[in-house]
Amino acid sequence: MITQVTVIVTAVKLLFMPLYRSTDFEVHRNWLAITHNKSIDQWYFESTSEWTLDYPPFFAWLECALSHVAKYFDPEMLKIENLYYASEVTVIFQRLSVIVLDLFYIYGVKQCSDLLDNGKLLVFILLVANPGLLMVDHIHFQYNGFLYGLMLISISHMIKGNVIQTALWFAILLNFKHIYLYIAPVYVVFLLRAYCFTVSSKDGVHTPWYSFSFTNLTKLGTTVIAVFALSFGPFIHQLPQLFSRLFPFKRGLSHAYWAPNFWALYNFADKVLLFLLKKIGFKASSNVASMTGGLVQEFEHSVLPTVRPSVTFLFTLMSMLPALIKLWHLGADRRYRNMSFIRCLTVCASCAFMFGWHVHEKAILMALIPLSFLSVLGEDDGKCYLILSTAGHYSLFPLLYPKNLGAIKLFLLLTHCAMGFVNVPRLYDDPKTKKPRRRGFMILPMLNWYESLYLYGFLLLFIYDILHSSLGFDKRFPFLPLMITSLYCSVGVIYSWLTYYYYFLTFNVSRVPTLLTARTLRYHRKGK
């Protein structure tokens, strides 16, 4: 069945090849040309195109390797001066490169799903057929699946107890794309707690104390440093230039399309206050409206304090701290530390999405991918997944703005929702009757009435988006569908984040055996 699912999803990806593609297509074509024609000491200085190389060295080397295959398809795509070159063969090559690299993602998914006692096939389908990855990678165009594959491989090694391999694969991932630094604190805390610190008994079972293994710390440090040395070593003389490309803080607080996070509500509140103050004669500066037009640039808030990168960093770190402290304490129990790690990973990825600087909408996948795996391991995990996957995936719709993609976006989301809402609740049937718990009329499985009402609201939101132009609002309020989508999705994303965070912080290990029943990881039973 796994093979059939893989073939079907791959066939869908092939059907998407002729569809709309974003400027990211030109970004990666330009990177192919740069790495193919320039020496490595020029990769991070080349600026013929506005789409300069701004990913870590491992990804640059990947582009270089792909370029040596690309030359057999169409050498013209490898000319730096051929800006926005997109011959039919070029499109085929770049689309196929994403599909082929997705083999790493499929492998990572299988490595994780194979560790489940129950829900193995469901998790495989939910992850391999993830609508967010299908929209972002295979229509919009990027290589996120390949990167999430590396993350899942790292997680699978963590579950198996292969600590060094866990650190190795995550270090490799960071050197492909540095956005995963957001979840690095989770790895640091877990690896230190599970591998470098051990709980012993000095005077018997009632006096536990920590012992520290410098040898294990050395092994971890050597592994991580070796990966970074291999990555950044060849660029040692140009590190300032390289880091200036990796961390361009002048891009502004919000991305071109508002990510549905805390800053979306902050921006909206600023606009509402500005509107009200204008009624009493307040005059705004010339650049206060830039964020409503979907532009990527710095701007000043008109009423509320303008947010700087340091503020978002502080908010993100402070929001993660309670979860990291909880992870440290849960890490003492070897039986359930694996689930605690993945849950903390989900929480901290959500914290980064909530408060990070210049967050992209697709960053919600960093929380949704591990949560998809968790959806079969606990009822609270499953409930949060159903809400967050709906709101998070719908928030990606504005990325695919052409009208002819509306039906495709809706089909992908509804198919995924049907798969989730039909199969995830079945894992949590009433333990006495072995039947689904009774719900009221129109109330979705596992959810209450207001959660169900919120999800039904997405149908109205989609209908309004279709009717926006016919109602005559497209010229006067061109930004309205984008703003409404961002705000409505942010309600669901923030609600899911808060409820799941509370669940994680109040998680009691003593309740775990009754919560898990048959839905457990094989490596728990082995005591690893």
Side-chain angles (χ1 to χ4, degrees):
M1 188 63 179
I2 286 178
T3 302
Q4 291 90 321
V5 171
T6 303
V7 171
I8 292 172
V9 173
T10 302
V12 172
K13 295 174 183 177
L14 292 172
L15 292 175
F16 289 163
M17 290 178 67
L19 297 181
Y20 152 84
R21 53 191 181 272
S22 71
T23 53
D24 283 319
F25 183 88
E26 168 61 15
V27 169
H28 289 282
R29 185 216 61 82
N30 183 54
W31 293 0
L32 288 173
I34 291 174
T35 55
H36 188 77
N37 294 286
K38 300 290 185 178
S39 58
I40 63 172
D41 60 334
Q42 295 177 299
W43 284 1
Y44 290 96
F45 287 90
E46 167 59 40
S47 58
T48 301
S49 168
E50 62 180 311
W51 311 117
T52 54
L53 180 60
D54 58 6
Y55 274 24
F58 276 4
F59 203 97
W61 286 112
L62 173 64
E63 294 281 4
C64 182
L66 289 174
S67 72
H68 287 283
V69 181
K71 65 184 179 182
Y72 296 107
F73 284 76
D74 186 352
E76 293 297 312
M77 78 172 84
L78 300 177
K79 294 183 178 179
I80 296 177
E81 64 275 12
N82 279 356
L83 301 182
Y84 295 94
Y85 184 80
S87 67
E88 184 176 347
V89 177
T90 299
V91 173
I92 291 174
F93 168 76
Q94 291 199 232
R95 292 290 197 190
L96 284 177
S97 69
V98 180
I99 295 174
V100 172
L101 285 173
D102 266 1
L103 292 175
F104 282 90
Y105 179 65
I106 296 170
Y107 175 77
V109 171
K110 190 174 187 305
Q111 288 295 299
C112 286
S113 61
D114 282 349
L115 300 175
L116 294 167
D117 278 339
N118 197 22
K120 171 181 176 180
L121 179 60
L122 176 59
V123 165
F124 185 86
I125 295 174
L126 291 177
L127 284 171
V128 170
N130 180 280
L133 287 176
L134 290 174
M135 287 189 285
V136 175
D137 280 12
H138 301 281
I139 301 180
H140 186 266
F141 191 85
Q142 281 189 349
Y143 292 91
N144 294 287
F146 162 69
L147 298 170
Y148 282 114
L150 298 178
M151 186 179 81
L152 290 174
I153 293 173
S154 175
I155 290 175
S156 69
H157 280 292
M158 180 277 302
I159 296 173
K160 297 174 184 177
N162 302 327
V163 177
I164 299 300
Q165 291 91 326
T166 300
L168 172 66
W169 282 102
F170 184 67
I172 291 173
L173 174 62
L174 286 178
N175 284 277
F176 271 101
K177 193 168 183 179
H178 51 302
I179 192 176
Y180 294 94
L181 279 170
Y182 278 127
I183 58 175
V186 183
Y187 274 86
V188 172
V189 170
F190 179 82
L191 293 175
L192 285 176
R193 180 66 186 83
Y195 191 59
C196 297
F197 285 88
T198 57
V199 178
S200 304
S201 178
K202 189 174 183 180
D203 301 314
V205 295
H206 300 296
T207 315
W209 61 292
Y210 290 112
S211 61
F212 178 76
S213 173
F214 184 77
T215 301
N216 288 353
L217 178 63
T218 303
K219 291 179 182 178
L220 277 179
T222 302
T223 300
V224 174
I225 292 173
V227 173
F228 275 84
L230 181 63
S231 175
F232 287 90
F235 304 90
I236 190 69
H237 299 296
Q238 49 180 303
L239 290 183
Q241 172 65 17
L242 194 159
F243 287 132
S244 70
R245 288 284 183 85
L246 297 184
F247 303 101
F249 289 114
K250 292 185 178 181
R251 287 186 174 181
L253 173 65
S254 300
H255 187 232
Y257 302 104
W258 292 2
N261 59 8
F262 174 80
W263 302 123
L265 298 182
Y266 189 86
N267 293 340
F268 178 70
D270 186 72
K271 290 301 172 185
V272 171
L273 291 174
L274 175 62
F275 175 79
L276 296 176
L277 290 175
K278 278 185 175 180
K279 294 295 184 180
I280 58 175
F282 177 81
K283 292 184 179 180
S285 60
S286 59
N287 65 335
V288 296
S290 61
M291 59 185 166
T292 61
L295 301 176
V296 183
Q297 57 180 291
E298 291 184 292
F299 63 86
E300 301 289 327
H301 285 91
S302 53
V303 181
L304 297 175
T306 297
V307 180
R308 302 303 180 192
S310 57
V311 175
T312 63
F313 175 79
L314 180 62
F315 272 47
T316 302
L317 181 61
M318 294 303 294
S319 65
M320 289 182 180
L321 275 179
L324 296 174
I325 294 172
K326 180 70 173 183
L327 176 63
W328 179 271
H329 290 290
L330 289 175
D333 194 316
R334 294 185 177 183
R335 296 170 299 169
Y336 308 114
R337 62 169 52 150
N338 296 336
M339 284 199 306
S340 300
F341 169 82
I342 304 173
R343 284 175 175 147
C344 188
L345 189 72
T346 302
V347 168
C348 289
S350 300
C351 291
F353 185 81
M354 282 294 109
F355 301 110
W357 176 262
H358 195 69
V359 173
H360 291 243
E361 294 75 3
K362 61 180 178 290
I364 192 63
L365 295 173
M366 199 183 299
L368 279 174
I369 296 298
L371 188 58
S372 302
F373 178 79
L374 288 168
S375 65
V376 303
L377 291 175
E379 189 167 354
D380 291 273
D381 304 277
K383 176 181 178 179
C384 182
Y385 171 76
L386 295 177
I387 299 174
L388 187 61
S389 65
T390 304
H393 288 137
Y394 191 96
S395 72
L396 300 174
F397 278 20
L399 290 174
L400 310 181
Y401 59 83
K403 297 297 182 182
N404 63 343
L405 296 178
I408 294 177
K409 294 186 293 187
L410 186 62
F411 173 77
L412 289 175
L413 180 58
L414 290 181
T415 302
H416 194 76
C417 285
M419 179 64 66
F421 277 96
V422 170
N423 293 284
V424 172
R426 287 179 177 174
L427 298 171
Y428 308 103
D429 292 343
D430 191 306
K432 294 181 180 179
T433 64
K434 304 300 182 182
K435 296 180 180 180
R437 295 182 175 91
R438 292 184 179 180
R439 296 285 179 178
F441 178 69
M442 294 295 290
I443 296 181
L444 295 169
M446 298 181 71
L447 307 184
N448 55 40
W449 68 269
Y450 56 84
E451 293 166 341
S452 300
L453 186 63
Y454 170 77
L455 294 187
Y456 285 131
F458 281 104
L459 295 175
L460 298 178
L461 186 61
F462 186 79
I463 293 172
Y464 171 77
D465 188 50
I466 295 175
L467 299 177
H468 177 74
S469 298
S470 60
L471 293 174
F473 294 159
D474 54 326
K475 294 182 179 179
R476 188 177 179 184
F477 306 108
F479 61 86
L480 199 56
L482 171 61
M483 185 180 72
I484 294 176
T485 297
S486 177
L487 293 175
Y488 194 79
C489 291
S490 67
V491 173
V493 172
I494 293 175
Y495 173 80
S496 300
W497 171 61
L498 289 175
T499 54
Y500 197 70
Y501 207 145
Y502 176 78
Y503 164 65
F504 179 69
L505 291 181
T506 58
F507 185 77
N508 189 346
V509 173
S510 63
R511 295 190 299 117
V512 171
T514 58
L515 285 173
L516 285 179
T517 59
R519 297 177 300 278
T520 187
L521 294 171
R522 293 177 181 176
Y523 283 81
H524 289 162
R525 293 182 176 178
K526 293 180 180 180
K528 292 187 177 181

